[in-house]
Amino acid sequence: MTVVKLSPDDLCIASMVAAYEKKNLLDKALNLLMQLEKDGREHGVATLGVLVNWLVKLQLIDEAGQVLGMIAEKGGSLPFKSLLSLCDMYSRAGTGAEKKARQAPGGVEAEEEELLAPLVFENIIKGLLAGGFVHDAQRVCRVMETQGFAASQPLKVALSVSQSFGLNRPVK
């Protein structure tokens, strides 16, 4: 009798990490990934994408940046919504993340065919304004309008005030 050792593929591992995310068990997910690495299994873009989204939600900026580097090394790219979440995270991080925050919105124009809910756009714009990135907030607002969504009145006021005074004010 021949014993065949099966190894989970990238989508299977990504699903397992996503299941851990739902239960907020980061330590278990990382243990799984480290064990797979010890067994010689490289993490694919799908697994790394789930992990980076989770790290963004946890506001773990440096760790998310490291995983992004791993994705880039593999020639992969993040989903459109992940790029916007990264933009929001970096802009809210303040000092030291300015360059990353300015680069993240560039992905907004990359995949115009994928539409987002207006609330997601507004949260990103508010994050950019909170980080003091008025120009980038206006650019994302134009993309939002190009995709057929109108900015809410409070957001229009926040953009106008930020542009007029050039202040780094948090937006709620």
Side-chain angles (χ1 to χ4, degrees), residues 48-49 51-74 78 82 85-87 89-90 93 96-97 99-101 103-104:
L48 296 173
L51 186 57
V52 78
N53 288 337
W54 192 358
L55 295 171
V56 165
K57 288 178 189 174
L58 295 173
Q59 296 291 304
L60 298 172
I61 296 169
D62 293 336
E63 292 81 358
Q66 290 174 356
V67 176
L68 281 173
M70 294 166 70
I71 292 171
E73 286 175 8
K74 293 183 179 295
L78 286 176
S82 298
S85 295
L86 284 169
C87 169
M89 178 187 73
Y90 285 135
K99 183 178 180 184
K100 292 177 182 179
Q103 291 171 347

Side-chain angles (χ1 to χ4, degrees), residues 126-161:
K126 288 176 185 176
L128 287 167
L129 290 175
F133 305 109
V134 177
H135 180 265
D136 292 314
Q138 291 170 335
R139 186 164 47 104
V140 172
C141 188
R142 285 191 299 273
V143 171
M144 178 176 117
E145 290 169 347
T146 299
Q147 292 191 4
F149 301 117
S152 68
Q153 190 60 33
L155 184 63
K156 288 179 185 178
V157 170
L159 279 166
S160 178
V161 168

Side-chain angles (χ1 to χ4, degrees), residues 34-48:
M34 289 190 308
Q35 183 60 48
L36 290 169
E37 274 184 17
K38 285 180 186 176
D39 294 343
R41 178 78 170 99
E42 282 192 37
H43 307 307
V45 174
T47 299
L48 296 173

Side-chain angles (χ1 to χ4, degrees), residues 1 10 21 53 96 107-108 112 114:
M1 174 186 254
D10 188 40
E21 178 186 5
N53 288 337
V108 172
E112 293 178 16
E114 188 174 347

Side-chain angles (χ1 to χ4, degrees), residues 155-172:
L155 184 63
K156 288 179 185 178
V157 170
L159 279 166
S160 178
V161 168
S162 295
Q163 183 180 8
S164 297
F165 295 106
L167 300 175
N168 182 6
R169 295 180 185 249
V171 179
K172 296 182 181 181

